């Protein structure tokens, strides 16, 4: 990691740290899952489906700030690969809930393992207390309302 102010990290903008973290994760992901049939963005959507209790196509559009057409195409790909199934929402029959299948759960388990491995690698020089502090600070940052 090359940084202009490496001798004074307080002068580095947050966005630069975020870019470096994303780049590092992307490199790790591509190295570990080089034969994967999905992009990082697609797997992020699949993970969101796994960890949201009730998810709809519109929820995914809103969360990822992408077009409905993109999400529709992606969900079709997930269905074709048998990672998800869509069910009618009992409260609004025009909406479809999106849920993972067993195959989708297995796929996300693989990704969770990659994320765990990456986190362990990038935090290997930190103490447990530092990791907890870092996660709490990051949570505060992302929890601010728009």
């Amino acid at each position: 990691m090359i940084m202009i102010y490496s001798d004074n990290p307080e002068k580095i903008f947050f966005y630069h740290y975020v870019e470096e973290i994303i780049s590092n994760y992307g490199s790790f992901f591509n190295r570990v899952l080089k034969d994967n049939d999905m992009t990082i963005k697609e797997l992020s959507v699949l993970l969101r489906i796994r960890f949201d209790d009730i998810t709809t196509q519109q929820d995914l559009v809103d969360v990822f700030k992408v077009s409905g057409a993109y999400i529709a195409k992606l969900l079709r790909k997930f269905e074709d690969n048998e990672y998800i199934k869509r069910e009618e929402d009992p409260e609004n029959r025009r909406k479809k809930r999106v849920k993972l299948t067993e195959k989708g759960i297995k796929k996300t388990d693989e990704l969770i393992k990659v994320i765990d491995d990456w986190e362990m690698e990038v935090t290997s020089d930190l103490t447990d207390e530092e990791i907890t502090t870092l996660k709490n600070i990051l949570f505060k940052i992302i929890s601010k309302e728009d």
Side-chain angles (χ1 to χ4, degrees), residues 16-117:
H16 187 78
Y17 287 116
V18 172
E19 286 178 337
E20 291 290 336
I21 289 169
I22 291 168
S23 175
N24 182 287
Y25 175 71
S27 295
F28 184 87
F29 177 88
N30 290 332
R31 185 174 70 245
V32 172
L33 293 176
K34 59 182 167 251
D35 298 326
N36 194 34
D37 62 339
M38 283 192 255
T39 66
I40 293 174
K41 183 74 163 182
E42 291 172 343
L43 285 167
S44 295
V45 173
L46 199 61
L47 273 177
R48 177 60 66 144
I49 294 167
R50 176 166 180 171
F51 292 115
D52 279 351
D53 288 336
I54 299 172
T55 305
T56 66
Q57 181 172 326
Q58 187 59 50
D59 293 337
L60 296 170
V61 167
D62 295 342
V63 166
F64 289 98
K65 310 285 190 256
V66 295
S67 72
Y70 171 78
I71 291 295
K73 182 178 175 184
L74 185 54
L75 292 179
R76 172 58 57 201
K77 177 180 177 178
F78 290 166
E79 280 181 316
D80 291 347
N81 288 324
E82 300 176 347
Y83 295 142
I84 67 160
K85 61 182 177 178
R86 298 187 218 203
E87 300 172 344
E88 192 174 275
D89 185 335
E91 295 175 17
N92 182 346
R93 294 172 35 164
R94 292 180 305 185
K95 284 187 178 182
K96 297 286 185 193
R97 291 182 177 176
V98 181
K99 293 188 177 231
L100 287 185
T101 61
E102 286 300 315
K103 189 174 178 182
I105 291 170
K106 185 176 179 183
K107 185 70 170 177
T108 56
D109 282 345
E110 293 170 14
L111 178 61
I112 290 166
K113 171 80 171 89
V114 170
I115 293 169
D116 281 341
D117 290 347

Side-chain angles (χ1 to χ4, degrees), residues 3-14:
M3 292 192 190
I4 298 168
Y5 298 109
S6 60
D7 59 332
N8 195 353
E10 295 83 24
K11 290 192 176 242
I12 299 171
F13 290 110
F14 285 154

